[in-house]
Amino acid sequence: MGDNITALTTIFTEFYYWVTVVMMFLIHVGFCMYEVGVSRTRNHLHTLMKNTMLIPLVTITFFFFGWWIYWAFPNGPFIYEGKGLILDGATGANQYLPWSPKMGPNLQDHITGVFWAAFLLFSWTVASIVSGAVIERIKSGAFWIIAVMIGSVTWIIDAAWGWHFDGWMVKLLGYHDAYASGVIHAIGGGTALGVLIVLGPRLGRFAADGTPRDFVPHNQWLVTIGLFLIYTGFWGFYAACNVPIISPEAIAGQITGATWTGTTIYLTPTTLSAITFNFLMSLSGGLMVAYIISKGNPFWTYSGGLAGVITASAGNDLYHPIQAFFIGGIGIYIAYYLHYWVERKFKIDDAVGAVAVHGYCGFIGCVIAGFLLWGYPSSPYEGYAAVNPIGNTIGGVIMFLVLGFIPGWVMAKILDGMGLLRVPRQVELMGLDFKSLHEEEIAREEVLRVEKAMA
Amino acid sequence: MGSTWAVDLANVGAVYPWLGYEVIMVVIAIIAWLIWHFVQIREEENDYAEDIKLHGSKENIKKALEERV
């Protein structure tokens, strides 16, 4: 850090990302509360541990190879002009190999650790999206392998392709997805759907004639507070998607003048103020429509708020707040009815509506952004395609289907073939916490027996 | 890293111990990660098998279902 301005900018940026990481931790707290609230009492501990333990597993694997993939894969490899991995140079991936001196305490580098962590928290989120859909019947070991796959491999490939200033999808397709409708949510929902098809519904979820039975959340309070916490953490998520302050010289693109700015991940200019308007307006659109169509059902109303934000996220750097409001409402309207249609038609048991809220809304958000932002520059650099409906729709398909659904389905098939995917029928009926709860009962009875003897 | 902070920080980079042995540390960590998965999956399979063996009768399952919804 040469001069004082550079030092202040660097320390501000370091602190900025650090704060977003702390805020995003709340997303995971929220997901855990939400899932436990939805699950039945005999499956609480399993549900909680399944989601909790993805934290260390995705963290270490994101350190081993996830971060390297982000910087190495923007060309595909070999999708953009036949170019391979980006390994060397100022943005080369080799400086992010797990044994690089930058990947540890280093007084010359204030940014790598916090920027890595911000992306890592996105990784937890995307794995957690899958976690909720598959509760009460998936084996923990199988889920954790799927979590590593999406958290440290597939989502970060999609980020390198479509959420990187140099990504081939941005250059060729004009793909614009500033706050990750497709990059996080569509891939999470797509992966969940792929796994669910192989995994099958919970026992008793569908009647013999195919009519779904409602598995009522055991604790609506926990569900709603969990979703409130996800909203809260989502603020950190939005802020983390930005570069907080950068000079035109540092961007070295087409922006003229000397005005410093905040930018999106594509280095296109935006402000925290802009995304604050749109976060709240899209949240409101989602909540209002969800309340009406679900007739005030708390589960769907809260999910609708989340769905509203997710649908508008692709373009929330640029939309007018009124546009964000309506987009949020449109997203949950489509996702709500699509969820029940898919459930009845294909007997898909998505316990938390993750495929709808994240997958369908994420995909719809990409498509809408392509139309509404048609003609906007996707990048401050020359030679990039402008934002357009075809490019953003293809982008949504890549996120939901190519990098989401297909890897999820294939991995689930492999695990199922090895007998590792689904818990045995008897255990599912007894409850996945049976052993823990049985041991607790024995311990409690033993203490009671001793206490009675002492009376 | 040397033994004193009486240095120009502009010349100080990585400060963790065992500088130069990062590859070995990473390899060990990756092996530990993979072993963790193997052990966890084996334990989980054993637990389910034991649950079924000890408590998997129809009567026990019905009792468990009545006790905890």
Side-chain angles (χ1 to χ4, degrees), chain A residues 56-292:
Chain A
L57 292 165
V58 173
T59 299
I60 58 169
T61 50
F62 199 73
F63 185 89
F64 294 153
F65 45 77
W67 195 223
W68 180 86
I69 288 172
Y70 180 67
W71 295 100
F73 279 54
N75 289 323
F78 306 116
I79 297 173
Y80 181 72
E81 293 180 345
K83 293 179 180 173
L85 297 172
I86 300 172
L87 301 178
D88 301 313
T91 62
N94 282 352
Q95 61 189 316
Y96 302 116
L97 284 164
W99 46 79
S100 161
K102 284 173 81 78
M103 295 295 284
N106 187 321
L107 299 190
Q108 299 305 310
D109 185 347
H110 288 250
I111 304 300
T112 297
V114 287
F115 203 39
W116 169 81
F119 271 68
L120 170 65
L121 271 285
F122 303 151
S123 301
W124 295 1
T125 296
V126 77
S128 211
I129 290 168
V130 181
S131 175
V134 297
I135 58 170
E136 301 195 306
R137 75 281 206 196
I138 198 168
K139 286 181 178 173
S140 297
F143 171 73
W144 291 328
I145 290 170
I146 292 166
V148 168
M149 177 195 76
I150 186 172
S152 292
V153 182
T154 51
W155 108 263
I156 199 66
I157 290 174
D158 91 30
W161 289 4
W163 212 51
H164 186 296
F165 73 93
D166 203 23
W168 74 265
M169 286 174 61
V170 189
K171 289 175 173 169
L172 291 181
L173 303 175
Y175 183 69
H176 187 83
D177 187 11
Y179 301 94
S181 291
V183 171
I184 297 278
H185 300 285
I187 190 176
T191 303
L193 184 61
V195 175
L196 284 171
I197 286 173
V198 183
L199 182 65
R202 288 168 288 182
L203 295 173
R205 182 70 171 80
F206 293 95
D209 66 354
T211 309
R213 297 190 182 97
D214 199 10
F215 280 23
V216 181
H218 96 277
N219 188 330
Q220 296 271 12
W221 277 108
L222 212 55
V223 171
T224 52
I225 297 300
L227 278 160
F228 251 136
L229 280 174
I230 294 173
Y231 292 177
T232 311
F234 220 144
W235 286 101
F237 181 97
Y238 257 53
C241 293
N242 277 5
V243 175
I245 185 165
I246 191 167
S247 67
E249 306 93 81
I251 295 173
Q254 295 176 301
I255 298 170
T256 59
T259 304
W260 290 50
T261 183
T263 74
T264 65
I265 199 77
Y266 306 114
L267 300 178
T268 53
T270 191
T271 65
L272 277 181
S273 194
I275 62 174
T276 302
F277 269 132
N278 289 342
F279 181 96
L280 287 168
M281 291 295 273
S282 53
L283 176 79
S284 301
L287 280 166
M288 287 170 68
V289 171
Y291 183 86
I292 295 295

Side-chain angles (χ1 to χ4, degrees), chain A residues 373-388:
Chain A
L373 304 179
W374 200 340
Y376 272 84
S378 65
S379 166
Y381 300 111
E382 258 187 306
Y384 282 55
V387 181
N388 67 90

Side-chain angles (χ1 to χ4, degrees), chain A residues 218-408:
Chain A
H218 96 277
N219 188 330
Q220 296 271 12
W221 277 108
L222 212 55
V223 171
T224 52
I225 297 300
L227 278 160
F228 251 136
L229 280 174
I230 294 173
Y231 292 177
T232 311
F234 220 144
W235 286 101
F237 181 97
Y238 257 53
C241 293
N242 277 5
V243 175
I245 185 165
I246 191 167
S247 67
E249 306 93 81
I251 295 173
Q254 295 176 301
I255 298 170
T256 59
T259 304
W260 290 50
T261 183
T263 74
T264 65
I265 199 77
Y266 306 114
L267 300 178
T268 53
T270 191
T271 65
L272 277 181
S273 194
I275 62 174
T276 302
F277 269 132
N278 289 342
F279 181 96
L280 287 168
M281 291 295 273
S282 53
L283 176 79
S284 301
L287 280 166
M288 287 170 68
V289 171
Y291 183 86
I292 295 295
I293 59 177
S294 72
K295 298 180 171 43
N297 176 287
F299 173 85
W300 273 107
T301 302
Y302 277 88
S303 294
L306 199 57
V309 177
I310 289 166
T311 313
S313 285
N316 258 351
D317 53 328
L318 295 167
Y319 293 147
H320 186 278
I322 299 295
Q323 294 166 340
F325 170 76
F326 281 112
I327 291 167
I330 290 167
I332 185 57
Y333 185 87
I334 298 171
Y336 179 82
Y337 289 107
L338 199 51
H339 169 82
Y340 284 112
W341 182 79
V342 169
E343 181 181 272
R344 285 171 185 278
K345 181 84 178 170
F346 301 104
K347 312 290 173 287
I348 300 296
D349 177 17
D350 176 0
V352 296
V355 178
V357 170
H358 298 275
Y360 305 154
C361 286
F363 175 77
I364 294 162
C366 293
V367 176
I368 293 174
F371 280 98
L372 235 67
L373 304 179
W374 200 340
Y376 272 84
S378 65
S379 166
Y381 300 111
E382 258 187 306
Y384 282 55
V387 181
N388 67 90
I390 295 172
N392 252 45
T393 303
I394 293 172
V397 171
I398 290 171
M399 299 303 168
F400 185 91
L401 183 70
V402 178
L403 289 172
F405 179 87
I406 294 172

Side-chain angles (χ1 to χ4, degrees), chain A residues 41 108 139-141 435 441, chain B residues 9 12 44-45 47 68-69:
Chain A
T41 50
Q108 299 305 310
K139 286 181 178 173
S140 297
K435 190 178 181 186
E441 268 169 31
Chain B
L9 294 182
V12 180
E44 188 175 12
E45 295 296 325
D47 279 353
R68 294 183 197 88
V69 289

